[in-house]
Amino acid sequence: MLRGMRKASSNWLGKTIMAIVMGVLIISFGVWGIADIFKGFGQSTVAKVGGTEISLNEFRQIYTDRLQQISRQVGRPLTPDQARAFGLDRQVLQQTIAEAALDEEARRLGLGQSDDQIRQFIMSDPNFKGVDGKFDANRFQAVIRNFGYTEQRYVSEQRKVSLRRQITGTIGAGLEPPKAMLDVLTRFQNEQRAIEFVKLDAAQAGAIDAPSPEALAAYFEDHKVQFRAPEYRKISFVVVSPEEIGKWSDVSDEDAKKVFEQRKDRLGTPEKRQIQQLVFPTLAEAQTARERLAGGMSFEDLGKERGLNASDVDLGLVTKSSLDATVGNAAFALPAGEISQPIQGPLGTSIVKVDKIEPGKEADYASLANDIKRELATERARVKVADLRDKMEDERGGGSSVIDAAQKLGLTAVTVDAVDRSGRAPDGQPVASIPQGLDVVSQAFNSDVGVDNDSISFKGGYVWYDVLAITPSRDRNLDEVRDQVEARWRQDQIAAKLKAKAAEMVQKLEQGGKLAEEAAAVGAKVETASGFKRDDSPAGVPATVVSAAFRTAKDGVGQTAAGSGEVVVFRVTDIVDPSVDAASDAVKKLKDSLDRALTDEQVASYVNKLQTDIGTTINQAAFAQVTGANQ
């Protein structure tokens, strides 16, 4: 029985992925609105833009590439449910359609690009240059392979990109931000302020008498909703994952040692060497250079003669496998301090020098045995997990509860008597029996008693759960939460006193008083901060104070709440209005950012108009099939 996966929940992973999604998509022209016109017109086509059809297989390839790129960046696989929850599916579709619209326009305009131009375009890409500053074919293959491209597919894609750039480059040509805008933004970003300030906390609030029973009761009535008991749910769940099923202690030393011997070279720490390298076009030039090096000239000085900097010559601490095989064999055969003879390689003739040798460390079975056994146990458990999944689904399909199904299959079901939406028990502590990272609580609060819930994917396995009972939210009486009410009442009293005291201090300062005198009168100390900008976080200065200082004129005073119940009274002692140097790197960087923003806006409008003019239709069923929305 197949079950759909639940939507990915909002958590730290979501925040990380959303940042990366924007970083990936901004490279192209993707995040622009498209007409939301969904029409089915052929199961093998996801969308049609003018005369261009985006096939199901083509979009699947693009979408899979994006998922894999983001998964590599966050360090964990991104599920289809999570991708849809973060809006990645829709953004990739928008990007693909925008690019197709530009491709259509390129064909209409008769634009073209020769093979030689594409070759030069790729060979001039700095991402593919080797240590000699020239195009490195090996590096090119490694980089595109890492991003899931074959050479043919990459060249084809770059041909399209080149034609799109011809169009977008024309649209953005000549756009420049007004000088007045640059001046205003530069001054806004770089304006600096200095303040003196005093932090008022509970010590300055003075003694707080205990509340009378009547006062506490009245406070409770006014704030009863804050002390309301949350809704609790009783749930049961069972986890079937390789980690839960596979027990490393069941793996024999004999099996683990076999794996260790197979992976011994990779498990150890390889020898590393600090290497300097120079590459020459011909053997004769390399021989001449070696004679000069043997005569006392340094690699760095010889590199400078050839227009190379120190980082171009010094390869750093590298392993043998990271070098070209010919160069690696020669470099790792040299003693420390020696200079090699010329080495003929695919990119030219190299000369290397070994500055330092960092010996490798052979892997030790005893220190790795448990890790190897865990890995073996997990691998073996994957087959068992799939078998248990099918059996568990059959039991659930036959009407068994999670607890009953678990008992029949010899699994351990966990029952949580009461948990609120935040994953806490009635005592306010997180429920320890819920594994970290398992989002069963929010799923349970979206379900009900007696509902046959879909399983949840978790750590390469599955989790089944039932909602057994629901305890509705209710008003508590004062006796249940007396200590909490009194603590909250005391906090409010302190806050009110500090706010009044701060207002009094501000009034005296506005009338000519000195902050040092006012601080001494309440037993506080004066602190200072200077030279900070709007986005800075000066040590010891709360963010609310920085924001308030930039809303206050020079010699003006103010107050603002800070963290931990503090109130801060401050005076702005200085404002530095920066001069604008149009030739500075900061202004140039700002101008470049504004140029890109203006160009993006123009290109976005142009592409939207293109899509409207040539017509865009989307096959909703095919789109859902690729992204998993129909499962």
Side-chain angles (χ1 to χ4, degrees):
M1 186 188 303
L2 297 178
R3 295 174 181 269
M5 297 174 65
R6 308 291 291 183
K7 289 185 178 180
S9 62
S10 176
N11 50 27
W12 67 268
L13 177 64
K15 296 176 183 177
T16 304
I17 289 175
M18 284 310 297
I20 293 173
V21 165
M22 296 309 296
V24 171
L25 297 183
I26 202 68
I27 295 172
S28 193
F29 318 110
V31 195
W32 300 328
I34 58 174
D36 191 16
I37 305 169
F38 285 89
K39 297 180 180 178
F41 48 81
Q43 292 304 309
S44 63
T45 302
V46 172
K48 186 174 181 180
V49 185
T52 298
E53 290 192 357
I54 301 169
S55 71
L56 187 145
N57 288 336
E58 179 185 0
F59 184 70
R60 179 182 284 115
Q61 179 71 59
I62 294 170
Y63 188 60
T64 301
D65 287 346
R66 293 293 187 270
L67 288 184
Q68 291 176 347
Q69 288 173 21
I70 295 173
S71 295
R72 282 194 294 267
Q73 288 177 276
V74 300
R76 59 184 294 182
L78 185 65
T79 68
D81 281 344
Q82 289 172 326
R84 291 196 304 277
F86 304 139
L88 179 63
D89 56 340
R90 190 62 184 232
Q91 292 187 49
V92 173
L93 179 64
Q94 291 173 351
Q95 171 185 328
T96 306
I97 289 174
E99 291 172 349
L102 287 170
D103 294 342
E104 276 283 296
E105 183 68 354
R107 281 191 288 273
R108 188 188 71 80
L109 295 173
L111 301 180
Q113 195 83 314
S114 70
D115 291 341
D116 285 340
Q117 287 175 314
I118 291 298
R119 187 180 299 108
Q120 289 302 316
F121 176 69
I122 293 174
M123 293 184 71
S124 63
D125 190 328
N127 292 304
F128 305 139
K129 292 185 177 179
V131 293
D132 61 349
K134 298 179 180 178
F135 176 76
D136 184 338
N138 292 328
R139 180 174 175 80
F140 166 71
Q141 292 291 343
V143 171
I144 66 171
R145 187 167 56 251
N146 188 49
F147 283 92
Y149 283 94
T150 62
E151 180 175 336
Q152 182 179 6
R153 182 174 165 229
Y154 182 79
V155 171
S156 175
E157 183 64 28
Q158 292 310 299
R159 188 183 300 279
K160 294 178 182 178
V161 169
S162 178
L163 296 179
R164 294 170 197 154
R165 286 179 178 174
Q166 289 185 39
I167 298 173
T168 58
T170 302
I171 295 169
L175 288 175
E176 282 198 8
K179 183 177 181 300
M181 179 187 290
L182 275 174
D183 287 350
V184 169
L185 287 176
T186 300
R187 292 179 187 278
F188 183 84
Q189 287 183 350
N190 297 314
E191 180 184 332
Q192 297 180 7
R193 301 216 169 187
I195 61 171
E196 56 177 1
F197 62 97
V198 171
K199 294 178 180 177
L200 306 179
D201 57 24
Q204 281 73 47
I208 305 293
D209 295 331
S212 66
E214 294 77 17
L216 192 64
Y219 179 85
F220 175 69
E221 286 299 322
D222 290 341
H223 300 82
K224 184 178 289 187
V225 67
Q226 298 177 16
F227 303 99
R228 184 177 174 83
E231 177 184 320
Y232 288 101
R233 299 208 168 191
K234 181 177 182 179
I235 63 174
S236 63
F237 64 89
V238 62
V239 179
V240 175
S241 69
E243 185 177 299
E244 290 287 323
I245 300 299
K247 304 299 181 185
W248 68 269
S249 55
D250 295 338
V251 179
S252 68
D253 276 314
E254 182 182 358
D255 289 345
K257 284 180 179 177
K258 287 180 182 178
V259 174
F260 173 77
E261 291 299 327
Q262 293 169 358
R263 305 178 183 177
K264 192 173 182 179
D265 293 340
R266 286 179 287 153
L267 294 173
T269 303
E271 177 185 326
K272 292 183 178 181
R273 296 193 171 204
Q274 184 88 28
I275 294 175
Q276 296 184 69
Q277 179 187 34
L278 287 169
V279 182
F280 302 89
T282 66
L283 177 61
E285 288 183 61
Q287 289 172 334
T288 301
R290 190 188 186 285
E291 292 173 3
R292 296 177 68 190
L293 292 169
M297 189 175 195
S298 70
F299 267 70
E300 186 176 347
D301 289 341
L302 188 55
K304 287 179 180 177
E305 285 187 6
R306 305 184 67 241
L308 303 174
N309 56 40
S311 62
D312 295 326
V313 175
D314 189 355
L315 303 185
L317 267 174
V318 295
T319 60
K320 185 176 181 179
S321 62
S322 67
L323 300 173
D324 172 76
T326 308
V327 175
N329 290 334
F332 275 73
L334 287 174
E338 287 292 318
I339 300 173
S340 73
Q341 294 295 330
I343 307 163
Q344 190 68 45
L347 298 176
T349 304
S350 302
I351 297 176
V352 298
K353 178 186 177 185
V354 177
D355 288 334
K356 183 175 70 172
I357 297 176
E358 190 176 278
K361 184 179 179 182
E362 190 172 324
D364 175 53
Y365 173 74
S367 63
L368 297 171
N370 288 351
D371 290 336
I372 294 173
K373 288 181 178 182
R374 287 189 183 93
E375 185 178 345
L376 274 174
T378 299
E379 289 175 0
R380 293 173 179 177
R382 294 187 195 282
V383 176
K384 192 173 181 181
V385 166
D387 181 56
L388 285 171
R389 175 200 60 201
D390 294 341
K391 291 179 178 178
M392 189 73 182
E393 290 287 359
D394 289 342
E395 291 293 335
R396 296 284 284 153
S400 295
S401 68
V402 164
I403 294 175
D404 291 341
Q407 288 177 344
K408 289 180 183 178
L409 298 176
L411 302 172
T412 302
V414 176
T415 298
V416 179
D417 290 327
V419 61
D420 66 14
R421 288 181 181 274
S422 66
R424 297 179 183 275
D427 63 0
Q429 298 301 311
V431 176
S433 57
I434 298 177
Q436 187 174 4
L438 173 58
D439 182 32
V440 70
V441 173
S442 66
Q443 303 283 3
F445 272 83
N446 287 327
S447 184
D448 208 337
V449 176
V451 173
D452 180 14
N453 303 295
D454 292 336
S455 61
I456 306 170
S457 292
F458 179 64
K459 291 187 176 180
Y462 306 89
V463 177
W464 290 265
Y465 69 96
D466 279 336
V467 178
L468 304 179
I470 298 175
T471 302
S473 176
R474 64 177 179 84
D475 286 333
R476 292 184 172 118
N477 59 56
L478 179 57
D479 289 337
E480 290 181 88
V481 288
R482 185 175 298 275
D483 291 344
Q484 297 175 37
V485 174
E486 186 167 347
R488 186 75 61 84
W489 175 87
R490 185 174 297 277
Q491 290 174 4
D492 287 356
Q493 293 296 306
I494 291 172
K497 283 197 171 188
L498 291 180
K499 185 176 181 181
K501 191 173 289 293
E504 181 183 351
M505 289 180 66
V506 167
Q507 185 178 17
K508 290 180 179 179
L509 293 173
E510 289 175 340
Q511 294 172 354
K514 304 294 184 184
L515 187 59
E517 296 175 0
E518 297 302 323
V522 296
K525 67 175 183 177
V526 177
E527 300 178 62
T528 61
S530 61
F532 59 86
K533 301 177 184 178
R534 295 175 191 274
D535 296 329
D536 289 345
S537 301
V541 182
T544 55
V545 177
V546 173
S547 298
F550 276 90
R551 297 193 299 268
T552 306
K554 184 179 179 182
D555 296 324
V557 295
Q559 62 160 306
T560 183
S564 304
E566 292 180 333
V567 177
V568 176
V569 176
F570 66 90
R571 182 196 298 276
V572 177
T573 57
D574 192 22
I575 296 178
V576 178
D577 187 13
S579 58
V580 179
D581 180 6
S584 69
D585 289 339
V587 174
K588 289 179 180 177
K589 187 176 180 180
L590 175 61
K591 182 178 180 298
D592 288 343
S593 297
L594 290 173
D595 284 343
R596 285 193 297 271
L598 290 171
T599 299
D600 287 347
E601 186 177 353
Q602 285 287 102
V603 172
S605 298
Y606 179 80
V607 172
N608 275 329
K609 183 68 164 57
L610 274 181
Q611 291 173 191
T612 301
D613 291 346
I614 65 180
T616 300
T617 51
I618 301 168
N619 184 342
Q620 188 178 25
F623 174 63
Q625 180 182 341
V626 172
T627 60
N630 62 347
Q631 296 181 6

